[in-house]
Amino acid sequence: GEGSDPNLVNPQKGQGYGLPMDPNVLNNPWKGTTQAPRRTSPPTPKRTFSEQSLRAVLELGIIIGVAFLVGGLFMAMVGIELLCDKVSDKYREIFKKPKELPDIERLHPAELVGTFSRYK
């Protein structure tokens, strides 16, 4: 818009915008770039065997904790499904609704002998 810096719309070469350019390199912005030298951090001291063992036990504890969490959530889901089945059975009993037909996938294969419903 009016009153704004035209260099923001049309940045000029070598004015601090974009990649640093080397004037000796033509049309290759990657060749002339310079990278600041990396600061090397002092090397970390080697941990003792007991420190490494303690850290390994803590990491194993996290893994086992996650496994228990997943198992507990699975058991909770199964429990909620069984609770919903019992609640729906009580609902049918109280309001005298007809019992729904058993799910064909939940029946034992021996119960399907002699019926054509197993071929559906």
Side-chain angles (χ1 to χ4, degrees):
E2 236 177 278
S4 65
D5 186 6
N7 291 326
L8 294 177
V9 178
N10 184 17
Q12 301 299 309
K13 197 175 196 179
Q15 299 299 315
Y17 298 101
L19 295 172
M21 301 288 282
D22 186 5
N24 300 328
V25 179
L26 296 175
N27 296 332
N28 191 352
W30 300 108
K31 235 180 200 175
T33 59
T34 57
Q35 202 172 25
R38 290 184 164 206
R39 292 184 186 172
T40 56
S41 60
T44 57
K46 184 157 174 41
R47 298 178 192 262
T48 64
F49 183 73
S50 61
E51 287 175 336
Q52 290 178 356
S53 298
L54 178 66
R55 191 166 191 146
V57 167
L58 288 174
E59 290 179 14
L60 180 65
I62 291 173
I63 292 171
I64 291 174
V66 169
F68 275 120
L69 180 69
V70 169
L73 288 174
F74 176 75
M75 293 305 224
M77 285 175 33
V78 170
I80 289 171
E81 182 181 3
L82 292 174
L83 179 71
C84 286
D85 285 344
K86 288 184 181 187
V87 167
S88 64
D89 287 343
K90 279 289 182 191
Y91 170 78
R92 275 191 219 91
E93 181 183 317
I94 292 172
F95 291 102
K96 310 264 189 293
K97 299 280 184 185
K99 188 170 184 177
E100 62 183 24
L101 295 172
D103 188 9
I104 191 73
E105 294 173 357
R106 291 185 182 218
L107 289 177
H108 193 273
E111 295 175 11
L112 297 174
V113 173
T115 65
F116 288 103
S117 60
R118 64 179 167 172
Y119 299 111
K120 287 184 182 178

